[in-house]
Amino acid sequence: MTVRRDFKEPARCRPDLVIGRDELYATAREQLTRGGSVLLHGPAGIGKSTVLRALAADYGDAARTVLRCSATESESHLPFLALADLFGLVLDEISDKLPAAQRTALESALTGRGESTLQRDGLALRLAVLSALRALAATRPVLLVADDLQWLDSASAELLGFAARRLGDTPVQLLCAVRTEGQEYDRHLRASPPDTLAVRLNPLSSAQVSALLDHRGYTDLPRSTMREIHRTSGGNPLFALELGRALGENPTPPRPGEPLPVPTSLRDLVLSRLDMLSAEARRTLLVASAGARPTLALLHAAGRENAEAETARAAELGLLTTEPEGPAVRFTHPLISAALYAEAPAQERRAAHAALSTAASDPIERARNLALATTGTDPEVAARLAEAAALSRDRGAPSVAASLGLLAARHTPQDGTPAADRHRLQAAEDAITAGEVDLARDIAREVLTRATVAADRIRAWEVVIEAAGQALGDVDAVFPQALADAGDDPRLLALVRYHLAWRKLIVEGDFSEARQEAAHAAELAARGGDRRTELMALSFQSSTETLMGHPNAPATIKQAMKEPQDPYVACHHNGVGAARFRWLMMSDQLAEARSTITALLREVRRRGMVESEVHFQRFLAETELRSGHCGRALDLARESLRLARDSGIGLGASAMLASLAEASGGDVDRALALAREAAERAEEDGDQMYLSRALAALGHAQLVAGDAAGAVGSLRRVRELEAGLRITDPARGRWQGDLAEALVRVGEPREAQDVIDVTREHALRLDRESVLAVLDRSEAMVRAALGDHEAALARLTSVQDRLAKLGYGLEEARAAFALARLRTLRPGAGPGPTSYDEAARLFRRCRALPWLRQVERAAAEGAAAQAQRPAAVGRQQQQQASDVLEGLAAMERQVAALVMEGATNREIAARLFISVKTVEATLTRVYRKLGIRSRVDIVRLAAGRHAK
């Protein structure tokens, strides 16, 4: 039963559509499932009602009686209104179950006889509410859903608190929401059942705000605007939606440097206290809202003589926060600053900026305020803005540089030098560096509508191509136009050819053609004197050659590292530093690879190169994962994925690496989901290169999850893809060992050996020591599956030592695990109590939790098998069995022989490194060939008796 009063359940409040509240929602849902109560709290607009409705819809099913109330400020003075909401429609159901005095008191309150009811019939009414809840709960559990507790009338609040504290084990739960600005929810918690969980809703992240706006249909907003919405809203979903709606309805987007338009609904909400300030105090706050980092000293320098008293008054009204330890003037919420600025007349805004243009100490801030104080074009203002943009670039703030560059273009006269479009192109390039690809693309497209100079057009085409990211197939039409614009200028042609090399690799998957195109681009750039493009092309060529296993790779890397170097290329994610890192990783030089990528990551963070930061964070995570530092790798991979989601850059690659890290040190189900996400994204982008990496991650996760058949399917496809791409260096994806192991588990040791043999040939040619060691581990499993346990043991012992010396901690632990399983489960051997201790110790050192769980499971199964295993058959019986099984295939003989020893299907699967399903299928073939029907008949054969 559901009783409600004007309480609608919008479809968008299904739990799967509660944006950004997954963990919080799961926590609250679990608390309700345990029989507890939940109090949601947080500031206005933070999403409490949305989560409340979703939880009520999800948890308050037909098996419960759901009583609802939703208070409003305008009704908070009316006594017993919430009580009427809750019990009004169930009074007839419970009234005859209440004592007469209680029934009279409750009916009096619900029918509104007057405020004196609680005072006159106080105890009877309190007991009536308690009895009513108990009567309802006697039939089925009761869920009370109350929104906006802060507006609950005092009489109803007192009665509900009285009942809540006395319900005991009665199956009545409360699901409530209350508005709080800080942590002042204690009084509401005291009026709730003792087992109530207080859950605070915090602001949404930038990515969550973006997802919320996308879900509500505001999909065309540039990423830079999304970021500004997040900043202005403070992560408050209601504020973000209102700002998004205002932008969607405004045909003219705000100019660079200008704040977002604040709708009237939000102005009224946040500026209601502003009328209590004097006009001068409001002007002081306007100057503070116009400044980037306002302080009292800055306000004084800007002519606000009474700043101390005026800001103190604003703090009393809750508009500013007081910071006794610092001089900063901070608004209690960014929206207050934005609304105050939006409310001010244009003339007063310009006056505030004019005052700040001389008062600010920072040259960037002075230039920005000068621009916002100036109307029309002004070459001096444009020049100062261009200088400020260059300074921002040097400081590692490319996003600020892009904004200042656009302001410079706006203030540049029509015949100015440099032209306005040159400022715009520089701003677009800065936006690319900052990861604001939507803004960069829009600027470049605008320039292309009027640019006639070939160099300007090629710069613009470059931005369009860069903004496409991995989806280069989406900009196929750009390349013929760019080639036509480049003409026969080697410098311009080099730029286009460099991007064509990337297209050859990503879209067509042709490493050979990509390598040749990159070499051509490097030659053209050298002829045109463009050292930056030459170095980028050489770096790309060396990376391609490395992945191909081309013999020229070391020479090309050495050529790319020659002086003079370009600082930008040296730290770019496609530059020479990244190419060298890849070479070090593939050559098993993990320590040097770590120091190289750590230095690169530090430099790109200093420069504000967001795209490179995403990639380098991922590279560092990969280095830690190879080294066996799974916990550290997991933290880095998750951070890289978060940054990728926030910026919209490198999502597929970051999801792929995060999958590998989750499978090794985190959650295997999450690893599977991330690998599938990465594969889907690569297929959507037409990116064959990363598709193979994503499928390799998926196969690895499936292997860890115990789905050997799924792993074989994924990794066979990787093998086909990389053969088509002509990738021959096995150190690129390192999936071959996983495929061989999975093939053994599904009963295909011959194919596993073929994978090992082909891979070993390339690994020997390229001197890939770690790959060779992993292949030897896989071959040991093949030998064990074919019955040669002694050779398998000898090989595994060597493998573990080699991997330890190379620094591959996780692979070393996997070798120890395989060795323990072989020692424990080989024919004639019984497991000792410490058989798996070494593998467990190594996995624990790596923080490889999924693998550690496998070890614990194997140890438990081995101990149980040892306790149940019967005595081995005698030599004569074994010989008789051997004669009987002579006509079977090798795998069938091994399975049948282990059945004769009394091994279970699970034990057989563990010994032979195959799946239980493979054991079952093999036994079916054995039964058919021997003309028998069951495992019992095989045991009879072992004893020399005929099956009946």
Side-chain angles (χ1 to χ4, degrees), residues 616-681:
F616 289 162
Q617 183 108 348
R618 187 179 80 252
F619 291 171
L620 182 57
E622 183 179 359
T623 309
E624 298 295 353
L625 192 59
R626 297 280 176 228
S627 303
H629 305 149
C630 297
R632 170 72 172 149
L634 185 60
D635 291 341
L636 288 165
R638 285 174 174 172
E639 176 62 20
S640 174
L641 183 60
R642 184 199 64 75
L643 185 59
R645 294 200 192 285
D646 283 351
S647 63
I649 295 169
L651 271 170
S654 293
M656 176 274 297
L657 199 282
S659 170
L660 291 172
E662 292 284 354
S664 299
D667 181 89
V668 179
D669 289 335
R670 181 166 169 76
L672 291 165
L674 286 167
R676 292 189 176 102
E677 176 190 340
E680 289 169 7
R681 189 172 294 277

Side-chain angles (χ1 to χ4, degrees), residues 568-581:
Y568 173 82
V569 177
C571 65
H572 192 274
H573 57 278
N574 290 323
V576 65
R580 181 170 178 271
F581 163 78

Side-chain angles (χ1 to χ4, degrees), residues 20-259:
R21 305 296 190 191
D22 296 347
E23 186 174 346
L24 175 151
Y25 188 91
T27 300
R29 182 69 171 78
E30 184 180 349
Q31 169 73 359
L32 292 170
T33 303
R34 287 197 298 261
S37 297
V38 173
L39 175 68
L40 305 169
H41 66 99
I46 203 66
K48 302 180 299 297
S49 297
T50 300
V51 175
L52 181 97
R53 288 193 290 266
L55 283 167
D58 185 24
Y59 182 73
D61 55 24
R64 293 176 181 80
T65 296
V66 182
L67 308 178
R68 304 175 186 269
C69 68
S70 183
T72 63
E73 184 176 11
S74 61
E75 299 170 340
S76 60
H77 65 285
L78 300 174
F80 306 117
L81 188 61
L83 203 65
D85 282 350
L86 293 169
F87 295 107
L89 297 184
V90 295
L91 185 60
D92 293 341
E93 179 184 339
I94 57 174
S95 60
D96 60 344
K97 300 174 184 177
L98 303 180
Q102 294 181 22
R103 181 171 61 251
T104 300
L106 185 59
E107 288 175 348
S108 174
L110 298 185
T111 55
R113 288 186 182 175
E115 294 189 41
S116 61
T117 304
L118 185 56
Q119 298 172 355
R120 186 177 63 247
D121 308 316
L123 181 58
L125 184 53
R126 290 180 177 89
L127 293 174
V129 172
L130 182 59
S131 298
L133 290 173
R134 285 173 173 164
L136 287 170
T139 306
R140 52 186 174 179
V142 175
L143 178 67
L144 270 67
V145 181
D147 198 5
D148 284 321
L149 280 186
Q150 73 277 4
W151 305 131
L152 212 66
D153 65 273
S154 58
S156 296
E158 199 278 337
L159 290 168
L160 289 174
F162 175 87
R165 291 188 294 272
R166 291 164 175 80
L167 284 169
D169 295 332
T170 306
V172 177
Q173 296 169 268
L174 270 67
L175 173 58
C176 309
V178 62
R179 180 187 299 180
T180 57
E181 292 302 327
Q183 299 293 324
E184 65 277 13
Y185 57 89
D186 289 352
R187 64 185 180 90
H188 299 286
L189 199 59
R190 286 194 293 271
S192 302
D195 59 350
T196 299
L197 174 68
V199 178
R200 179 169 179 80
L201 277 73
N202 292 313
L204 299 180
S205 69
S206 178
Q208 290 164 348
V209 166
S210 178
L212 176 65
L213 290 166
D214 284 345
H215 171 60
R216 295 299 178 87
Y218 305 117
T219 56
D220 297 328
L221 298 174
R223 189 167 299 279
S224 55
T225 302
M226 289 283 195
R227 190 179 65 242
E228 187 62 21
I229 289 175
H230 177 257
R231 188 196 67 78
T232 303
S233 67
N236 184 295
L238 172 65
F239 297 173
L241 285 171
E242 287 297 301
L243 290 167
R245 181 182 60 79
L247 283 167
E249 294 173 354
N250 188 351
T252 306
R255 290 176 170 177
E258 291 184 349

Side-chain angles (χ1 to χ4, degrees), residues 732-743:
R732 185 244 182 183
R734 298 176 183 269
W735 48 266
Q736 295 85 353
D738 284 344
L739 175 55
E741 183 175 337
L743 285 166

